[in-house]
């Protein structure tokens, strides 16, 4: 296959397609940490199995998670595990992307919950493949109907930040009405979702971000905002019932004087050491470290969509890029200064 004068030999392995199927566009990554190896190519259009739906993708976000896979910039101690899952020399599944929004074009004969013409939000998780015009997913995958009030671009960004924040705040850290809650990294996709959801759960939210994002964070419900470059929240004498770290830089040692007696430190992006030692440290302190993994599920996604329909949660988009400029989208996300989410339009 020839792309811009260069032959691409590692054609994406997309299962279950017809040999004569017309080609469609997809983005392949043939080398880690190289935007030059992030290319738009033509691949065979996938065909759904009996239990799958075929989604025509109209929008897919470039999330921090996608950037971490592409660049191999992962929390400390996790690089080897990520390469075991995704490949060592290059991504084993070269079409990246874990979230998408689009319309179901066809269904397998055993599919009962969806039909052609349904507008949906979906997550492909470890299977990747979201950065393509078409994606096949099992009916049982995290797929829900798109809220009618949202564009495809808005809908595509709900899953990553929103579902992550909802799963952690409601089901792991258990934010309660009246809690004094601090979100570190409040302007990113997970952070701004946490600000909104904390406010929805009647917590008093403080956001930590750069000076340029203080008003932005307040506009989504934070009662206070701290410029991390001008003030160290761990030294201002304030105590919080819940501290949420979306960036991966906080520890119990740094935060113990900023937590109430039974406070919780929620680590959304911890390194391997923090994950392994958290259960041990929790044995000796009344304040607890909360970490783990929140996986997208149809139930969590539907709960978030219900909040959108009730105007209790908003999709936040910073920038949009055409598919041909997806390398620029990855570069922008990699700068770690985005407000909310970055979307690629197909």
């Amino acid at each position: 296959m020839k792309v811009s004068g260069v032959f691409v030999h590692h054609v994406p392995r997309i299962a279950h397609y017809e040999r004569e199927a017309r080609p469609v566009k997809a983005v392949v990554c043939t080398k880690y940490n190289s935007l030059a190896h992030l290319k738009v190519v033509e691949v065979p259009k996938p065909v759904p199995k009996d239990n799958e739906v075929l989604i025509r993708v109209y929008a897919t976000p470039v999330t921090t998670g996608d950037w971490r896979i592409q660049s191999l910039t992962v929390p400390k101690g996790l690089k080897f595990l990520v390469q075991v899952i995704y490949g060592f020399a290059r991504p084993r599944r070269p079409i990246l992307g874990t979230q998408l929004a689009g319309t179901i074009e066809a269904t397998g004969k055993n599919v009962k919950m969806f039909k052609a013409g349904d507008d949906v939000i979906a997550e492909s998780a470890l299977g990747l493949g979201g950065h393509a015009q078409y994606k096949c997913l099992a009916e049982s995958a995290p797929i829900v109907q798109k809220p009618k009030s949202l564009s495809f671009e808005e809908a595509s960004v709900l899953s990553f930040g929103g579902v992550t924040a909802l799963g952690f705040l409601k089901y792991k850290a258990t934010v309660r009405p009246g809690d004094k809650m601090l979100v570190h990294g409040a302007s990113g996709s997970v952070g701004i979702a946490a600000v909104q959801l904390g406010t929805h759960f009647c917590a008093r939210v403080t956001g930590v971000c750069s000076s340029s994002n203080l008003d932005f964070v307040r506009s989504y419900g934070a009662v206070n905002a701290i410029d991390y470059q001008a003030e160290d929240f761990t030294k201002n004498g304030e105590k919080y019932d819940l501290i949420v770290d979306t960036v991966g830089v906080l520890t119990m040692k740094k935060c113990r004087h900023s937590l109430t007696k039974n406070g919780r430190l929620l680590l959304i992006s911890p390194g391997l050491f923090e994950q392994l030692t958290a259960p041990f440290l929790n044995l000796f302190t009344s304040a607890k470290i909360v970490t783990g993994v929140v996986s997208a599920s149809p139930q969590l996604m539907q709960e978030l969509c219900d909040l959108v329909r009730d105007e209790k949660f908003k999709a936040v988009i910073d920038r949009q890029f055409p598919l041909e400029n997806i390398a620029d989208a990855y570069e922008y996300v990699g700068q770690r200064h985005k407000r909310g989410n970055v979307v690629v339009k197909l």
Side-chain angles (χ1 to χ4, degrees):
M1 183 179 299
K2 192 174 183 180
V3 182
S4 301
V6 178
F7 283 94
V8 177
H9 299 286
H10 304 292
V11 178
R13 292 179 292 174
I14 301 180
H16 310 289
Y17 60 81
E18 297 172 345
R19 288 185 179 274
E20 300 304 320
R22 65 179 178 84
V24 297
K25 291 181 179 180
V27 177
V28 298
C29 175
T30 56
K31 185 179 180 180
Y32 288 121
N33 199 27
S34 173
L35 294 178
H37 286 77
L38 205 57
K39 300 286 189 179
V40 179
V41 301
E42 290 187 338
V43 299
K45 182 178 179 180
V47 174
K49 295 180 183 179
D50 291 345
N51 67 330
E52 291 182 336
V53 299
L54 174 66
I55 302 172
R56 170 61 171 96
V57 181
Y58 291 112
T60 177
V62 175
T63 69
T64 302
D66 298 324
W67 169 75
R68 287 188 182 280
I69 295 170
Q70 181 270 331
S71 64
L72 275 185
T73 306
V74 298
K76 191 173 182 179
L78 295 178
K79 183 175 180 179
F80 178 76
L81 178 59
V82 169
Q83 288 180 290
V84 168
I85 295 172
Y86 293 107
F88 284 91
R90 58 181 178 271
R92 188 176 297 114
R93 298 178 178 89
I95 301 178
L96 304 183
T98 53
Q99 277 82 35
L100 56 99
T103 301
I104 293 179
E105 185 174 287
T107 63
K109 65 180 182 181
N110 295 332
V111 172
K112 305 297 183 184
M113 294 188 295
F114 300 99
K115 65 182 184 303
D118 285 345
D119 293 334
V120 295
I121 307 168
E123 176 163 331
S124 59
L126 296 180
L128 304 180
H131 296 343
Q133 286 182 313
Y134 285 88
K135 175 65 179 174
C136 284
L137 288 171
E139 179 184 29
S140 59
I143 307 172
V144 296
Q145 301 281 349
K146 178 181 77 69
K148 295 184 183 299
S149 61
L150 296 186
S151 66
F152 285 109
E153 291 77 21
E154 292 170 321
S156 72
V157 307
L158 284 184
S159 180
F160 180 74
V163 168
T164 299
L166 179 62
F168 273 113
L169 292 180
K170 185 173 182 179
Y171 298 104
K172 286 186 176 290
T174 319
V175 62
R176 294 179 283 265
D179 272 354
K180 197 173 178 182
M181 171 178 157
L182 179 140
V183 181
H184 192 264
S187 60
S189 56
V190 178
I192 202 65
V195 169
Q196 292 186 73
L197 291 169
T199 301
H200 169 67
F201 293 132
C202 299
R204 292 171 294 161
V205 180
T206 293
V208 178
C209 56
S210 64
S211 59
S212 61
N213 289 325
L214 296 175
D215 289 339
F216 169 73
V217 168
R218 290 190 188 100
S219 72
Y220 283 92
V223 297
N224 187 28
I226 297 173
D227 175 3
Y228 71 89
Q229 295 172 318
E231 179 182 347
D232 184 347
F233 80 88
T234 66
K235 297 178 180 178
N236 64 11
E238 294 288 334
K239 289 188 179 293
Y240 301 90
D241 301 295
L242 176 61
I243 295 175
V244 181
D245 178 21
T246 71
V247 183
V249 297
L250 298 182
T251 64
M252 180 59 82
K253 183 178 180 180
K254 290 181 180 179
C255 298
R256 66 177 183 269
H257 297 302
S258 299
L259 286 167
T260 57
K261 181 179 178 181
N262 296 308
R264 291 93 68 209
L265 172 61
L266 173 55
L267 304 179
I268 289 181
S269 185
L272 181 61
F273 178 80
E274 288 75 18
Q275 293 186 50
L276 294 176
T277 58
F280 175 76
L281 293 175
N282 284 344
L283 295 174
F284 301 99
T285 60
S286 55
K288 304 299 182 185
I289 299 172
V290 181
T291 186
V293 176
V294 169
S295 299
S297 67
Q299 293 75 24
L300 269 177
M301 291 174 67
Q302 187 58 58
E303 191 169 349
L304 194 65
C305 286
D306 291 342
L307 290 175
V308 170
R309 293 189 181 97
D310 293 338
E311 299 184 347
K312 302 291 180 58
F313 187 88
K314 294 181 180 179
V316 182
I317 295 177
D318 182 350
R319 295 188 184 184
Q320 300 185 34
F321 294 83
L323 182 64
E324 291 72 19
N325 294 349
I326 194 168
D328 295 334
Y330 269 87
E331 182 178 25
Y332 182 62
V333 172
Q335 294 171 4
R336 309 302 301 274
H337 295 302
K338 63 184 177 68
R339 289 182 168 189
N341 301 273
V342 172
V343 179
V344 172
K345 301 168 67 173
L346 288 84

